[in-house]
Amino acid sequence: MFPADEEFDELCFEFGLELDEITSEREILSKEKGDAKVDGASDIILFKIDVPANRYDLLCLEGLVRGLQVFKERIDAPRYKRITPADSQLQRLFITEETAAVRPFAVAAVLRNITFTQERYENFIDLQEKLHQNICRRRTLVAIGTHDLDTITGPFIFTAKPPSSIRFKPLNQSKEYTAPELMELYRTDSHLKHFLHIIEDKPVYPVIYDSNGVLLSMPPIINGDHTKINLNTRNVFIECTATDHTKAKIVLDIMVTMFSEYCSEPFTVEAAEVIYPDGKTYFYPELAYRKETLAAENINRKIGIRETPDKLAKLLTRMCLKSHVMEDGKQLEIEIPPTRADIIHACDIVEDAAVAFGYNNIQMTIPKTYTIANQFSLNKLTELLRQDLAAAGFTEALTFALCSVDDIADKLGIPVSATNAAHISNPKTAEFQVARTTLLPGLLKTIAANRKMPLPLKLFEISDVVTKDNCTDVGTRNHRHLCAVYYNKNPGFEVIHGLLDRVMQLLAVSAGTEKGYRIKAAEDPAFFPGRCAEILTDGKTIGKLGVLHPDVITKFDLTLPCSALEINIEPFL
């Protein structure tokens, strides 16, 4: 690092950010694709900065530089202002009741007399993409549309129509398409294909028209080419359609506050009127400032510092939270700007005060309350069993906590409804659809991946399984299971049975007694008929052991017999 780079790294840390990497386009391509692919790549230095997910105001260069300048006290935090034009110039957006089936909310605003350069234009587009990926949740909650206002005429209508009746020329295309044709066109588009699922199964698609019938956009997929903004655009109409009204307002506030700096009258935004189907009207953007009151002593106590109220007010002002000491000399009045949607609770204000003070400047103290730590009893039992199972000749495996539905159901001969499994709502792959309800599939897949190893294969795992439980606050419950398998040319049931006896011996549970353990013949579709037993202790079933059914072995791509044991170890605590 050069001295200037080190200085910037230190500044980022002081501001609560992390300079992740100093690189260039050439270095990135070299790492990802090799030196052969770097021809023509730029050597311009790039800073990769980790920004907290809820700091939407730092997602573009304008917001980041502005925040750092205020932090260094080189400028004052700007005051954002909404201007409502004369009635004849006011832009209006009418929402029809048809939108209720797809995207019922919309907000809008105008950036008047803005001046774009190439860099500003790229930052403007880049901020939209970052917001789409972040707070907009890949456009499912909010979709942003930006249009050259001089190419269209208000008032605008946000409605929803059957796909076959929608026809327009989409952004960067040379001809018109119907909505179904667009869906097919973008099905192979590396960028837009990820958003098609949001509306493609809906009976109507959302669209925005101007008063002349020109289509502005078909959110959340694509804008019309007619309203495309460029470096010569002077007036920008911004609309955000949404399924979440609150997030739509936040997104609009961020877009206009970041780039109103480049308007002829900096940090002013022209309001737009939105009329809902019930006749209610609203003016956006809200650009709402709110005030919070917090005791200086409360801030000091939570951080662990001793600063005067005046010093704390100054620290918060450096974080774009304009503050002053109230008349009583003890309370602070903090003004939350529209750019700080992350400030929800008093604790968020305290956190910003701590960042401005500097975490490294907080004096370390010995806690007033002394506690003596103990190992979690379940983990202690697990560690003790691991050592002795390894001593018994078994090798420990560590498998994924997520698996496919087939692994815990079809492959084990059990209906999905009987597994009581917690399903992942949006699994990225077929291999990670549910939280495992048994450790057995993971060990069998481990054996399948190591079939070339010398026989016998003796594996075990002690980990958590997850089942649904409506009595808990999260709707699921973890259970610590022990599972062991023996894979060889013969089933080796006696090996698994011997391991069970050894585990019970270690747990000081005797066989056959009333409070001890015993095995009882049972049937389970995963095991060979007549070769399965339940394990009972204190009259309750804690698991099963036996020889696996040939169908199960085949479905896990194995060819030799296998015996297995799986028990819940929590009753032995």
Side-chain angles (χ1 to χ4, degrees):
M1 272 192 186
F2 294 107
D5 295 338
E6 291 180 358
E7 187 179 351
F8 183 69
D9 186 15
E10 184 65 30
L11 173 60
C12 286
F13 180 79
E14 289 174 5
F15 191 56
L17 306 177
E18 182 181 353
L19 180 58
D20 187 44
E21 185 181 4
I22 300 175
T23 183
S24 67
E25 185 183 357
R26 179 180 291 273
E27 282 186 33
I28 293 171
L29 285 174
S30 177
K31 288 178 183 177
E32 292 179 353
K33 299 181 180 179
D35 293 335
K37 301 288 184 179
V38 300
D39 291 342
S42 172
D43 285 317
I44 295 174
I45 298 298
L46 301 175
F47 287 175
K48 282 190 174 181
I49 302 170
D50 279 344
V51 176
N54 60 352
R55 286 300 301 270
Y56 317 119
D57 58 313
L58 303 179
L59 290 177
C60 64
L61 183 64
E62 285 73 12
L64 180 61
V65 170
R66 196 179 303 159
L68 289 173
Q69 292 273 49
V70 173
F71 181 72
K72 295 294 286 182
E73 299 180 278
R74 292 177 180 173
I75 62 171
D76 292 330
R79 185 86 186 175
Y80 306 102
K81 188 167 66 173
R82 183 180 75 183
I83 296 176
T84 304
D87 191 67
S88 60
Q89 295 178 310
L90 182 64
Q91 299 300 332
R92 292 181 172 87
L93 176 63
F94 290 86
I95 303 177
T96 68
E97 58 187 14
E98 287 83 5
T99 60
V102 276
R103 299 178 86 79
F105 305 109
V107 295
V110 175
L111 289 176
R112 184 72 69 177
N113 296 320
I114 190 170
T115 302
F116 280 120
T117 62
Q118 185 64 39
E119 184 182 20
R120 293 173 185 178
Y121 175 80
E122 289 173 358
N123 290 347
F124 188 67
I125 301 301
D126 189 49
L127 177 60
Q128 291 179 57
E129 283 306 306
K130 283 188 169 69
L131 290 172
H132 275 150
Q133 296 298 320
N134 188 332
I135 184 175
C136 300
R137 295 293 185 271
R138 298 174 67 84
R139 305 192 190 183
T140 56
L141 299 182
V142 185
I144 309 165
T146 55
H147 313 277
D148 188 333
L149 184 59
D150 296 328
T151 65
I152 46 182
T153 307
F156 306 100
I157 298 174
F158 176 38
T159 185
K161 290 187 172 184
S164 57
S165 67
I166 300 171
R167 186 177 184 86
F168 69 106
K169 181 181 173 183
L171 193 64
N172 299 326
Q173 295 295 328
S174 57
K175 65 174 186 176
E176 290 188 347
Y177 294 85
T178 64
E181 288 171 343
L182 269 181
M183 288 302 201
E184 286 304 315
L185 175 68
Y186 292 136
R187 209 169 293 283
T188 55
D189 187 285
S190 60
H191 177 58
L192 294 175
K193 67 181 180 181
H194 303 292
F195 312 120
L196 302 183
H197 69 93
I198 301 172
I199 61 169
E200 66 179 343
D201 60 343
K202 306 289 185 185
V204 290
Y205 289 178
V207 282
I208 300 177
Y209 291 98
D210 78 347
S211 59
N212 296 323
V214 175
L215 191 144
L216 278 68
S217 68
M218 186 177 78
I221 308 302
I222 193 76
N223 288 349
D225 192 68
H226 182 87
T227 62
K228 180 180 179 181
I229 64 173
N230 53 55
L231 297 184
N232 298 319
T233 297
R234 294 287 292 159
N235 302 300
V236 179
F237 178 67
I238 303 174
E239 42 81 8
C240 300
T241 58
T243 56
D244 186 315
H245 194 203
T246 301
K247 285 185 169 54
K249 291 188 289 185
I250 292 172
V251 168
L252 183 66
D253 280 352
I254 294 297
M255 285 297 300
V256 297
T257 53
M258 293 301 103
F259 287 90
S260 58
E261 176 182 359
Y262 303 131
C263 293
S264 58
E265 194 175 339
F267 307 115
T268 61
V269 185
E270 185 177 306
E273 185 180 13
V274 177
I275 299 95
Y276 277 83
D278 58 4
K280 291 183 178 179
T281 63
Y282 301 90
F283 289 91
Y284 298 106
E286 290 187 342
L287 296 183
Y289 285 82
R290 77 174 199 272
K291 293 184 177 180
E292 299 284 346
T293 303
L294 203 57
E297 178 56 33
N298 191 18
I299 297 175
N300 279 327
R301 187 173 64 254
K302 288 187 181 297
I303 302 175
I305 58 179
R306 292 179 180 177
E307 294 295 320
T308 64
D310 285 320
K311 179 66 183 296
L312 291 174
K314 188 176 180 181
L315 291 175
L316 289 169
T317 300
R318 289 176 60 200
M319 300 300 290
C320 295
L321 301 176
K322 190 175 179 181
S323 307
H324 69 270
V325 182
M326 299 180 72
E327 291 181 1
D328 64 1
K330 298 179 180 179
Q331 299 274 104
L332 298 182
E333 186 176 73
I334 303 111
E335 186 177 59
I336 316 299
T339 52
R340 295 300 304 273
D342 60 300
I343 303 293
I344 299 171
H345 188 272
C347 288
D348 299 312
I349 297 172
V350 173
E351 181 187 4
D352 267 20
V355 170
F357 182 80
Y359 288 122
N360 288 342
N361 297 326
I362 300 173
Q363 202 167 14
M364 294 181 67
T365 57
I366 297 173
K368 294 179 181 178
T369 305
Y370 291 96
T371 57
I372 299 173
N374 280 321
Q375 188 177 8
F376 185 49
S377 56
L378 182 58
N379 288 345
K380 185 175 182 179
L381 175 61
T382 299
E383 293 298 329
L384 292 171
L385 285 173
R386 277 178 177 147
Q387 294 181 27
D388 283 291
L389 286 171
F394 281 72
T395 301
E396 185 175 15
L398 188 62
T399 62
F400 291 116
L402 300 180
C403 62
S404 69
V405 172
D406 285 346
D407 286 344
I408 61 168
D410 180 61
K411 290 182 180 180
L412 297 181
I414 303 169
V416 177
S417 57
T419 60
N420 201 28
H423 290 250
I424 309 301
S425 62
N426 57 339
K428 294 297 182 185
T429 70
E431 285 295 305
F432 302 121
Q433 296 173 317
V434 294
R436 63 186 175 190
T437 56
T438 168
L439 301 178
L440 183 58
L443 291 182
L444 294 179
K445 288 162 79 173
T446 303
I447 290 175
N450 293 274
R451 283 172 297 184
K452 294 182 181 179
M453 298 292 287
L455 296 174
L457 290 176
K458 300 158 71 177
L459 302 181
F460 81 91
E461 181 174 8
I462 308 178
S463 293
D464 282 2
V465 300
V466 181
T467 56
K468 286 195 282 190
D469 186 347
N470 294 328
C471 296
T472 64
D473 55 347
V474 294
T476 59
R477 186 180 295 277
N478 286 27
H479 302 277
R480 188 66 54 88
H481 277 206
L482 180 158
C483 184
V485 294
Y486 178 85
Y487 180 75
N488 201 1
K489 293 179 181 178
N490 54 66
F493 177 77
E494 67 281 359
V495 177
I496 286 295
H497 194 178
L499 183 67
L500 172 65
D501 289 340
R502 174 57 180 157
V503 169
M504 293 301 174
Q505 183 185 30
L506 292 168
L507 295 171
V509 180
S510 55
T513 62
E514 186 178 340
K515 291 288 186 180
Y517 79 96
R518 61 189 179 90
I519 59 174
K520 174 185 172 184
E523 292 297 326
D524 188 299
F527 292 91
F528 197 83
R531 295 289 185 273
C532 173
E534 284 183 333
I535 304 162
L536 296 97
T537 179
D538 201 15
K540 297 177 182 176
T541 301
I542 60 165
K544 290 179 180 176
L545 81 161
V547 179
L548 293 181
H549 198 287
D551 288 346
V552 174
I553 293 172
T554 304
K555 286 176 181 176
F556 280 97
D557 298 325
L558 301 175
T559 55
L560 298 176
C562 184
S563 293
L565 152 75
E566 183 162 2
I567 61 171
N568 182 355
I569 65 170
E570 291 184 10
F572 302 108
L573 286 174

